[in-house]
Amino acid sequence: TKPLMKVRIIAPAERTTTVLHRGDFLQPADEVVASALDVVQKQHPLTSRETGKEADRLDLANWLVDADHPLTPRVTVNQIWAHLFGRGIVPTLNDFGVRGESPTHPALLDWLAWQFSHEMHWSRKQLIKTIVMSATWRQSSVHRRELKQSDPNNRLLSRQNRVRVEAEIVRDMNLAVAGLLDQTVGGPSVFPPLPPGVAELSYASNFKWKTSPGNAAYRRGMYTFFKRTAPHPTLISFDCPDSNTTRLQREVSNTPLQALVTLNNEVYTESAQALAGRVLQIEGDDRERLTYGVRLCITRVPTDVEVDQFLSLLQDSREYYRGNVEDAKKLTDRHAANNVEPAETAAWVATVRMILNLDEFIVRD
C-alpha cells in the first residue's frame, strides 16, 4: 500500500502577500516583504500589547490610530483641508509618499496633525471648526493681479479658492431650499427619478430602475443607488468619479451640460416648483418675495440691481404664461401653489429656477 500523502496547512500568518499585476489574482508579481513598515516603525515602532508575542491585527489597529503615529493624523488633516480648500496641503491626496508632491506648508500640517490627535482627540468637527474660523479660510476668492507671476495657482493661499460642491450635494441643496429634502438617516438605497433610457445602457439587460415612491425619492444623494455600469447622469455631469477605482481627489469641470441638467432634469424642475410655492406664501410684494427667495438660495441680501433683473424676468414670464395656459399647467403639475392661478405660479417657477441656477448657489465665492 502507498503511504498517505502528508498535507501541510499554511497558517494565515505564514502566507506571503504579493503585488498583483494589473489587479489580477492569477498574476502575482513581487512579494511584499515583512519590512515594508520599517520606514514608519523607525519613528513609531509596532509592538505587541503582550510581552513575548508577535503583534497581531489588533496591535496594528491600535498602532494606526495612536496619537503619536506620524502618518495617520497628517493624512486625515490633509484630506479635510482639501475638502475645505479644494486642494490639500499635500496636493497628491492619493499618494502621501515619496512619489507625491511635497507639502506647501509643512509646519502648518505638523501643527494641525498634533492638535487633531493630541488636543482635539481625533474630533473632526473640532478640526473643521478650527480651520473655518481662521483668517486664511475666510479670505475672499477674488483674483489678485499682483499674484499672477509669483503664485498663479494660489499654492501659498494668498486668497481663497472658488470651490463647487460635490455632485451629490448639488441635488441635495436644490431639494433643501425647496423644502423637499427627506433627512431620514440610514436605511436601504433609494432610486430617485432617472431619465428614460439610462438604465437600459447597463451591461446587465435585466436591471430595472424602479423609482422610489413618496418621500424616499427625495432622500439625500448619499443614499442613491449607484449602478457602476449605468451611473446616474446627474452625478456624472458634476464630475462624480465611478466606483470602479478608489479616488480621493475629485476633478472639477465647468461645462454647458451642467446648466442643462439643472434647468431640465426632473428633480430640479420639482425643486423650482416647490420653491415657488414656498416664496408665494410670503406676505408682501414681488420685490419682498424675490428678496426672500434669493436669501434662501445664496444666504445673502441681494442688491437692488439683482432684484430688478429678477423682477423683469418675472414680468416677462407672466405675460408669456397668461397667453399659454397649457404650458403653465405643465410647469405646475407637481407642486402647485394653493389658491394661485397656474399662470402666476408658472411665472414664479420660471423665475426661481434662474435663482437656483446662479453660479453662487453651488460655488463658494
Side-chain angles (χ1 to χ4, degrees):
T1 60
K2 296 181 179 180
L4 295 176
M5 182 179 296
K6 294 183 179 180
V7 178
R8 179 174 178 266
I9 300 177
I10 301 176
E14 299 177 15
R15 295 174 182 170
T16 59
T17 302
T18 59
V19 177
L20 305 180
H21 179 65
R22 298 180 66 86
D24 186 359
F25 69 94
L26 297 177
Q27 302 183 55
D30 299 334
E31 180 180 339
V32 179
V33 296
S35 60
L37 299 176
D38 283 352
V39 175
V40 179
Q41 287 195 68
K42 290 180 180 180
Q43 295 183 353
H44 186 59
L46 172 60
T47 58
S48 174
R49 64 187 183 281
E50 298 183 16
T51 306
K53 291 186 178 182
E54 294 184 359
D56 55 17
R57 288 182 295 178
L58 179 57
D59 293 317
L60 176 61
N62 292 329
W63 176 77
L64 284 172
V65 295
D66 189 275
D68 293 325
H69 196 285
L71 279 181
T72 305
R74 287 176 172 82
V75 171
T76 306
V77 164
N78 191 58
Q79 292 179 5
I80 295 177
W81 185 277
H83 179 77
L84 295 174
F85 284 88
R87 180 189 182 95
I89 300 176
V90 177
T92 51
L93 296 183
N94 289 334
D95 191 348
F96 210 81
V98 295
R99 295 185 179 181
E101 295 187 36
S102 300
T104 55
H105 302 74
L108 173 62
L109 181 62
D110 292 343
W111 183 81
L112 285 174
W114 173 267
Q115 293 290 322
F116 179 54
S117 59
H118 288 78
E119 302 296 331
M120 302 176 186
H121 305 290
W122 305 95
S123 172
R124 295 169 61 92
K125 182 179 293 186
Q126 192 171 350
L127 174 64
I128 293 173
K129 179 180 179 181
T130 300
I131 296 176
V132 299
M133 292 182 66
S134 66
T136 303
W137 193 86
R138 290 184 292 173
Q139 293 180 110
S140 171
S141 61
V142 176
H143 180 70
R144 295 171 57 181
R145 294 183 179 180
E146 67 271 19
L147 302 174
K148 184 176 181 180
Q149 298 297 330
S150 60
D151 188 22
N153 295 322
N154 195 33
R155 292 174 61 90
L156 301 179
L157 297 174
S158 302
R159 57 180 175 83
Q160 181 59 275
N161 295 317
R162 298 184 75 249
V163 181
R164 194 199 68 210
V165 299
E166 292 88 345
E168 298 87 344
I169 302 180
V170 173
R171 172 180 170 274
D172 291 356
M173 291 177 61
N174 279 265
L175 293 175
V177 297
L180 296 176
L181 183 65
D182 186 348
Q183 300 188 26
T184 304
V185 177
S189 299
V190 296
F191 297 80
L194 189 70
V198 174
E200 286 72 11
L201 297 176
S202 170
Y203 295 121
S205 57
N206 59 348
F207 174 73
K208 302 298 182 182
W209 184 280
K210 297 181 180 179
T211 301
S212 299
N215 291 335
Y218 304 125
R219 296 287 304 278
R220 293 174 59 191
M222 64 178 297
Y223 297 110
T224 299
F225 182 84
F226 198 100
K227 183 67 174 176
R228 288 184 296 177
T229 54
H232 201 287
T234 300
L235 299 179
I236 299 302
S237 299
F238 287 96
D239 311 307
C240 179
D242 60 43
S243 57
N244 294 309
T245 57
T246 301
R247 182 172 177 79
L248 297 175
Q249 183 71 46
R250 291 196 179 190
E251 304 298 333
V252 179
S253 64
N254 187 8
T255 66
L257 182 60
Q258 296 171 357
L260 292 175
V261 168
T262 54
L263 282 171
N264 301 309
N265 192 277
E266 180 179 350
V267 66
Y268 300 106
T269 301
E270 285 192 58
S271 298
Q273 294 172 353
L275 178 58
R278 187 176 179 182
V279 170
L280 286 170
Q281 294 177 358
I282 301 300
E283 296 182 0
D285 56 16
D286 292 343
R287 179 174 289 274
E288 293 173 336
R289 287 175 171 175
L290 284 171
T291 301
Y292 172 75
V294 173
R295 290 188 63 184
L296 278 178
C297 295
I298 61 178
T299 64
R300 68 170 177 84
V301 179
T303 63
D304 292 338
V305 175
E306 291 172 330
V307 176
D308 290 340
Q309 291 176 334
F310 286 119
L311 276 173
S312 176
L313 174 61
L314 179 61
Q315 294 298 337
D316 293 342
S317 300
R318 279 172 173 162
E319 293 180 6
Y320 173 80
Y321 286 111
R322 285 170 181 170
N324 298 271
V325 181
E326 293 301 321
D327 291 344
K329 291 180 179 180
K330 293 179 181 178
L331 193 59
T332 59
D333 57 347
R334 287 288 187 92
H335 304 280
N338 296 328
N339 302 322
V340 181
E341 295 181 356
E344 178 69 9
T345 303
W348 277 97
V349 172
T351 303
V352 299
R353 178 185 287 183
M354 294 300 103
I355 300 177
L356 291 172
N357 276 270
L358 290 174
D359 182 71
E360 192 175 347
F361 181 55
I362 61 175
V363 178
R364 186 194 65 207
D365 202 355

